[in-house]
């Protein structure tokens, strides 16, 4: 029986959240569809794409506003030509630039699915108003994003497809290698890398060097944690120089307690040593790294950013309802912390970058106090490590595949 054709569109396949979802979607759907991934540039492919059909249209990033607009037009023409030749039943794109190309290359014969991967996509009103005119379906990675699309743009042809994870593979990759552990010189007296009383306490976070990730909040809060728990250490993994944050750590005199690991092909090998995972972002879509950390039994502490953490960490939670709870707590002069079903949530912090080491906000102190309590309360810590791992199991390949195939039949 001839398979239906599916075109997946992604700008690149370097190491990133929606790129991972794109490649995984292609592999999962190969038994059901004739799948082709269309990319704009094949440089720095970070994922295993062996056995996948990939077309590189060789139209990478251009600098300058005019050149970017012209690039979208050129890409759209090329992809439209591919669509006419291949005649896919569905063209599903990942990320804002791919969505623009998918929408503008619409032939009228394929169903155009546009994937919104971050709340910032929803906030770009001019683009969104163009996209909803072309889309047959807008696929959102969180209920909060879907709700915003429906309310703000009066577009109801939406669906939620949570990101997907293979817990067994993550755990196997974590166990496959044992790179030199940061601060390992301090562990020689103990002679073991397993957590024991009196050993180092690892906090971990992953994300690119981007102000949206709020790493200055994390570093300032960690300074307060380290003051109370000297054995605490922070590992930051992600692409970029992190130079501003390294300077901030120097000014706070905690350089020796923070390891900037950079981009790693074996992130799980370090992540597995963590006890607590920190997320201080101002915006997310559905934070992959958070769920990956939960898979490895790290207890999550996250800001209530748009979007994802509320849905992941609190049963039936959403960002707005948690914000209402924070407001009520503050009115009652209670500590603004929500101990959710699967992790801990604190209020969103200011988005404007503040690298002044002397200016530590109440929100940062609140985050630090929350982490300190978690590290000092072994029962609470172990409880969250267990429930986090169970919750991560809800975002399986099987559920994603079932939902995708159902949408494809509608």
């Amino acid at each position: 029986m001839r398979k239906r054709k599916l075109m997946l569109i992604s700008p690149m396949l370097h190491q990133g959240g929606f790129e991972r979802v794109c490649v995984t979607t292609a592999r999962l759907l190969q038994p059901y569809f004739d799948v082709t991934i269309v990319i704009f540039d094949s440089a720095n492919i970070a994922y295993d794409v062996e056995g996948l059909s990939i077309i590189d249209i060789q139209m990478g990033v251009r600098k300058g506003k005019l050149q970017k607009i012209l690039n979208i037009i050129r890409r759209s023409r090329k992809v439209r030509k591919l669509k006419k030749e291949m005649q896919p039943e569905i063209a599903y794109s990942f990320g804002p630039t791919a969505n623009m190309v998918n929408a503008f290359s619409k032939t009228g014969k394929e169903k155009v699915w546009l994937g919104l991967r971050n709340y910032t996509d929803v906030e770009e009103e001019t683009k969104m108003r163009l996209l909803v005119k072309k889309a047959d379906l807008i696929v959102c990675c969180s209920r909060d994003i879907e709700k915003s699309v429906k309310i703000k743009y009066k577009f109801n042809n939406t669906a939620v497809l949570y990101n997907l994870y293979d817990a067994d593979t993550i755990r196997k990759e974590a166990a496959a290698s044992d790179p030199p552990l940061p601060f390992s010189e301090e562990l020689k007296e103990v002679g073991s890398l397993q957590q024991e009383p009196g050993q180092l306490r690892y906090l971990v976070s992953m994300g690119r060097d981007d102000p949206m990730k709020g790493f200055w909040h994390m570093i300032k809060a960690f300074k307060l944690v380290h003051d109370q728990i000297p054995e605490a250490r922070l590992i930051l993994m992600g692409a970029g120089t992190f130079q501003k944050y390294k300077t901030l750590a120097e000014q706070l005199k905690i350089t020796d307690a923070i390891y900037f690991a950079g981009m790693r092909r074996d992130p799980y090998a370090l992540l597995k040593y963590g006890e607590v995972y920190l997320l201080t972002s101002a915006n997310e879509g559905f934070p992959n790294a958070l769920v990956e950390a939960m898979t490895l039994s790290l207890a999550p502490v996250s800001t209530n950013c748009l979007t994802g953490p509320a849905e992941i960490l609190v049963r039936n939670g959403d960002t707005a309802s948690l914000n209402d709870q924070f407001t009520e707590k503050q009115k009652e002069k209670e500590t603004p912390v929500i101990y959710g079903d699967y992790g801990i949530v604190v209020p969103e912090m200011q988005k404007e970058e503040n690298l002044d080491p002397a200016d530590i906000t109440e929100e940062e102190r609140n985050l630090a106090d929350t982490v300190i309590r978690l590290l000092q309360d072994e029962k609470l810590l172990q409880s969250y490590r267990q429930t986090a791992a169970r919750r991560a199991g809800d975002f399986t390949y099987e559920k994603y595949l079932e939902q995708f195939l159902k949408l494809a039949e509608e």
Side-chain angles (χ1 to χ4, degrees):
M1 182 177 176
R2 186 179 177 183
K3 293 180 182 177
R4 295 178 290 167
K5 293 186 178 181
L6 170 66
M7 177 183 287
L8 303 178
I9 307 172
S10 176
M12 299 175 72
L13 294 177
H14 55 64
Q15 194 167 16
F18 68 71
E19 293 90 346
R20 181 188 68 81
V21 174
C22 177
V23 171
T24 307
T25 298
R27 290 206 179 280
L28 278 178
L29 291 170
Q30 277 184 312
Y32 306 91
F33 291 87
D34 180 0
V35 185
T36 299
I37 301 177
V38 175
I39 58 177
F40 306 152
D41 188 347
S42 60
N44 301 317
I45 291 180
Y47 296 96
D48 177 11
V49 295
E50 185 177 355
L52 296 178
S53 174
I54 297 177
I55 296 176
D56 177 10
I57 65 172
Q58 300 180 349
M59 293 183 179
V61 176
R62 298 289 183 91
K63 293 183 179 180
K65 187 174 182 180
L66 178 59
Q67 287 300 315
K68 288 180 179 179
I69 293 172
L70 291 174
N71 216 23
I72 289 174
I73 294 171
R74 295 188 190 104
R75 289 169 173 174
S76 299
R77 287 174 177 168
K78 188 67 176 284
V79 173
R80 182 179 174 84
K81 183 179 178 181
L82 285 174
K83 287 181 177 180
K84 287 182 176 180
E85 292 172 358
M86 299 172 63
Q87 298 186 345
E89 180 178 307
I90 298 169
Y92 178 21
S93 48
F94 298 79
T97 57
N99 285 339
M100 295 288 283
V101 170
N102 192 14
F104 295 149
S105 64
K106 184 172 185 176
T107 68
K109 294 182 179 180
E110 81 283 8
K111 294 178 182 177
V112 169
W113 290 14
L114 307 181
L116 299 188
R117 315 303 307 174
N118 196 298
Y119 192 77
T120 55
D121 297 346
V122 183
E123 293 177 319
E124 296 188 39
E125 292 191 20
T126 302
K127 287 183 181 179
M128 281 297 302
R129 295 195 187 283
L130 289 171
L131 293 178
V132 296
K133 291 179 181 179
K134 297 284 188 178
D136 294 294
L137 181 71
I138 290 183
V139 181
C140 307
C141 62
S142 77
R143 293 195 309 268
D144 275 336
I145 291 178
E146 181 186 44
K147 182 179 178 181
S148 294
V149 171
K150 288 182 174 182
I151 293 174
K152 198 168 186 177
Y153 302 103
K154 313 300 180 187
F155 187 87
N156 292 313
N157 293 334
T158 62
V160 175
L161 270 179
Y162 286 132
N163 291 354
L164 66 169
Y165 307 86
D166 183 346
D168 289 340
T169 297
I170 290 173
R171 292 178 185 127
K172 285 177 183 176
E173 289 184 11
S177 65
D178 287 305
L181 192 61
F183 320 106
S184 57
E185 290 296 316
E186 302 177 59
L187 294 172
K188 283 185 176 179
E189 294 180 7
V190 180
S192 170
L193 295 182
Q194 300 301 315
Q195 293 295 343
E196 296 175 359
Q199 269 193 261
L200 301 182
R201 313 292 300 274
Y202 288 98
L203 315 177
V204 188
S205 190
M206 298 193 292
R208 66 187 182 278
D209 181 359
D210 188 319
M212 186 180 71
K213 299 297 183 179
F215 285 126
W216 75 94
H217 292 305
M218 188 182 300
I219 290 171
K220 290 181 181 181
F222 176 71
K223 160 65 176 173
L224 302 180
V225 172
H226 187 259
D227 285 347
Q228 291 294 315
I229 304 176
E231 63 271 25
R233 298 292 183 271
L234 176 62
I235 300 174
L236 291 180
M237 287 183 275
T241 67
F242 286 83
Q243 189 54 57
K244 291 182 294 185
Y245 306 125
K246 291 177 182 178
T247 300
L248 178 60
E250 289 173 7
Q251 293 169 333
L252 290 168
K253 302 187 187 311
I254 52 174
T255 301
D256 293 341
I258 301 181
Y259 177 52
F260 292 91
M263 176 65 76
R264 299 185 64 99
R265 289 190 176 273
D266 60 346
Y268 307 139
L270 282 183
L271 188 62
K272 66 184 175 184
Y273 293 115
E275 292 182 88
V276 176
Y277 186 82
L278 299 178
L279 189 151
T280 52
S281 295
N283 284 297
E284 289 285 347
F286 192 87
N288 287 314
L290 176 62
V291 179
E292 289 166 348
M294 292 167 68
T295 300
L296 294 175
S297 300
L298 277 73
V301 179
S302 173
T303 54
N304 187 41
C305 68
L306 288 167
T307 60
E311 292 177 48
I312 296 169
L313 302 180
V314 181
R315 187 179 290 112
N316 300 321
D318 64 77
T319 306
S321 65
L322 264 62
N323 281 334
D324 290 342
Q325 292 180 52
F326 287 131
T327 299
E328 287 301 313
K329 284 177 175 288
Q330 288 167 331
K331 284 180 180 178
E332 300 296 325
K333 300 191 182 304
E334 296 179 19
T335 303
V337 176
I338 292 174
Y339 290 89
D341 305 277
Y342 316 107
I344 303 173
V345 187
V346 298
E348 182 184 2
M349 295 185 269
Q350 66 183 32
K351 296 182 181 181
E352 185 178 349
E353 195 171 42
N354 179 356
L355 298 170
D356 181 357
D359 186 8
I360 297 181
T361 66
E362 285 303 312
E363 290 82 3
E364 290 159 354
R365 294 181 187 279
N366 181 44
L367 173 60
D369 290 343
T370 302
V371 173
I372 290 167
R373 182 191 169 188
L374 189 58
L375 290 176
Q376 291 180 338
D377 187 335
E378 186 65 21
K379 184 177 179 181
L380 183 66
L381 175 64
Q382 294 307 322
S383 174
Y384 273 125
R385 295 189 73 171
Q386 292 168 15
T387 57
R390 286 200 297 270
R391 174 58 168 162
D394 289 339
F395 307 108
T396 63
Y397 283 14
E398 291 77 16
K399 289 184 180 180
Y400 180 92
L401 178 61
E402 179 184 350
Q403 289 176 285
F404 192 103
L405 294 175
K406 184 178 179 181
L407 289 172
E409 294 298 330
E410 292 178 356

